[in-house]
Amino acid sequence: MIKMSIGAAFSETFAFIRTNWAQMLAWTAGAVVLLALLGYLVLGSTFTAMAMAPADPSVAMGAVGRMFLFGLFAAVVLYAVCMLVWRSGLHPGEAPNFGWALQAGPAFAFGMFVVFIAAYIVVMILAFVMMLIFGAAFAGAGGFSPTAFQSGAMGGGAIALMIVFYLAILVFFLWLFGRLSVAGPVMADRLTRNPLTGITESWRITAASQWTIVGFYVLVFILSLVYGLVAGMIFGGIMGAAASGGSGVGAIISIILMALVVYVPQLLLSFALPVGIYRAIAPRASADVFS
């Protein structure tokens, strides 16, 4: 295990983007086109039927079922794209393995879902125990609830304890996310479909850098938020000027430019962050892969 530095994580992340940005955009664009066509074919008639018979419960139930199936298929496609991007970036020149990606992507998503649901259940049990312990002192079991806070039924000590409790939950999930942050790249690197392999290996190799990883993600979030606000203000002003001038073409161009400048970099960053962390804490002989 190697202790990660934030500088190394940034370096590896942007090296991955610099080397693989075209491939990431190509895979993502292909997935979006596929899902758009499928959505039109699957959901187009559904929305038409709902508009014609809004009060028919059978139509509504059918629409819910179709939307659920479409959402499930979309998740499979998008997570498969993640696996293809990570695999192709870690092993450049290798032919894409669609069969593996369509199995590994959903398996990875399901494994992470199970882990976080289990963590949520543990947190809720601990919260219940705390409410039982401190219930008498802080106005019963509702003393830790947002409703009690809003109603003014809590004293200063109870409010402080509640704030500390919710902050502790936030920190816990950030820490858990950091410990599992490279599970996907591990699966892609090893070409495995077993999410347990990715989760356990991620847990092992992030042990020496767990809080550095949390700090890295917090820093990236802050920088991304600032970048998004600044770019949104700039292009929001341009779009407003174009709209007030009555130029529909100008507004469309502004929207496209805003998507390219604001959302595309965020998308590329979301793909590259896990691999950047993985490369920073698990360098191999092929250290020049991204150069």
Side-chain angles (χ1 to χ4, degrees):
M1 292 181 294
I2 295 178
K3 185 172 176 59
M4 185 191 85
S5 70
I6 290 180
F10 271 116
S11 176
E12 295 288 357
T13 297
F14 288 110
F16 183 83
I17 293 175
R18 184 176 64 251
T19 306
N20 299 279
W21 66 270
Q23 196 168 38
M24 286 190 280
L25 290 179
W27 285 122
T28 304
V32 169
V33 171
L34 175 63
L35 292 177
L37 291 174
L38 183 68
Y40 176 76
L41 293 174
V42 173
L43 301 178
S45 60
T46 299
F47 291 136
T48 302
M50 290 180 64
M52 295 179 63
D56 190 341
S58 63
V59 173
M61 290 298 295
V64 171
R66 283 173 176 263
M67 285 187 284
F68 175 78
L69 289 176
F70 174 74
L72 187 62
F73 183 80
V76 170
V77 171
L78 293 175
Y79 278 103
V81 167
C82 286
M83 286 295 170
L84 287 172
V85 167
W86 292 334
R87 179 68 187 179
S88 62
L90 291 168
H91 297 270
E94 183 180 275
N97 190 332
F98 295 103
W100 164 79
L102 288 171
Q103 298 173 64
F108 165 67
F110 179 74
M112 296 291 284
F113 175 77
V114 170
V115 170
F116 276 92
I117 286 296
Y120 179 78
I121 292 173
V122 170
V123 167
M124 290 300 101
I125 293 174
L126 292 176
F128 180 73
V129 171
M130 287 187 65
M131 286 188 291
L132 290 178
I133 294 174
F134 297 101
F138 297 128
F144 291 102
S145 67
T147 304
F149 174 74
Q150 294 171 359
S151 65
M154 298 173 61
I159 292 175
L161 186 59
M162 187 194 73
I163 292 173
V164 170
F165 175 70
Y166 283 114
L167 285 176
I169 292 177
L170 175 62
V171 171
F172 168 73
F173 278 105
L174 284 173
W175 169 79
L176 182 62
F177 181 79
R179 294 301 302 270
L180 304 178
S181 57
V182 299
V186 167
M187 291 179 65
D189 191 22
R190 300 188 177 188
L191 202 65
T192 179
R193 301 171 178 82
N194 185 357
L196 189 60
T197 300
I199 290 170
T200 54
E201 182 64 9
S202 177
W203 192 270
R204 185 186 70 83
I205 65 179
T206 57
S209 310
Q210 47 193 301
W211 292 111
T212 306
I213 294 172
V214 172
F216 174 64
Y217 269 112
V218 171
L219 181 58
V220 169
F221 172 77
I222 294 172
L223 294 176
S224 299
L225 185 63
V226 171
Y227 173 78
L229 288 174
V230 172
M233 290 173 60
I234 294 173
F235 282 93
I238 295 174
M239 291 173 61
S244 63
S247 174
V249 175
I252 292 174
I253 293 175
S254 298
I255 292 173
I256 294 174
L257 289 176
M258 185 173 181
L260 291 174
V261 174
V262 178
Y263 300 116
V264 170
Q266 302 279 12
L267 176 67
L268 297 180
L269 189 63
S270 67
F271 277 126
L273 284 172
V275 179
I277 295 172
Y278 179 56
R279 292 286 297 160
I281 60 178
R284 301 183 302 279
S286 56
D288 60 342
V289 166
F290 300 152
S291 60

